[in-house]
Amino acid sequence: MTGRGQLLADFREWIEYVKELEQRNMEAWSRPVGPGKWSVKEVVSHIMLWDKTFCEEAIERIYRDEPLTVRHLDYDRFNADASRYGLQSSIQHLTDQSIRYRERIIDLIQSLSEEAYSRTYLDGDKQMFKVEQYLQDFIAHDRHHMNQIRNVLAADRSLFNRDSEPDGLAVM
């Protein structure tokens, strides 16, 4: 079992990675992570919307000592919505929201008492939810997607400079 501090440090890796991605140009953000796969932009949206969901429906509710409302979702629908959202959003909006939700989750979990952190909760489907397990699951999820993105972008250094290239989308 890994301690809370280490799990939160690992969970924070996504924030630093998003900051690195923010420096990439629109071509990089549009690049699919594999044949028939999402673009980098869609992957970032996917993770951000999972963070938003768990922040609002689990972690904030634990912090306020309220019942959890997070439920097991139709993953195909959730992912299709995340893809659409990512394609319609600006890079700046996605990076800002990704960092905002992830930092909020980290701040809330850091402030939980040991009892609240260690307790087993029931989610909106009456299934068990533990903060530690949530962190472990999403760290693995983040790393899976970070590796996909790294692999597709690593070979092309021209995908770095975003300074002079607008992303062409309105901020959502």
Side-chain angles (χ1 to χ4, degrees), residues 8 23 37 43 52 106 112 122 127-128 146 149 165:
L8 289 173
Q23 304 310 309
K37 302 280 187 185
V43 171
K52 179 182 188 297
I106 290 167
L112 293 176
L122 291 180
Q127 299 297 310
M128 291 190 312
M146 287 189 291
I149 295 168
E165 183 177 342

Side-chain angles (χ1 to χ4, degrees), residues 5-37:
Q6 184 59 55
L7 286 171
L8 289 173
D10 292 348
F11 196 62
R12 184 176 295 282
E13 289 173 3
W14 178 246
I15 293 171
E16 298 312 313
Y17 193 66
V18 168
K19 288 177 181 178
E20 289 175 29
L21 287 176
E22 193 172 19
Q23 304 310 309
R24 300 291 189 123
N25 62 28
M26 188 60 184
E27 184 183 347
W29 280 80
S30 299
R31 180 88 35 115
V33 297
K37 302 280 187 185

Side-chain angles (χ1 to χ4, degrees), residues 146-160:
M146 287 189 291
N147 286 334
Q148 286 180 312
I149 295 168
R150 277 188 190 107
N151 289 340
V152 77
L153 298 182
D156 194 342
R157 301 295 294 171
S158 71
L159 300 175
F160 272 98

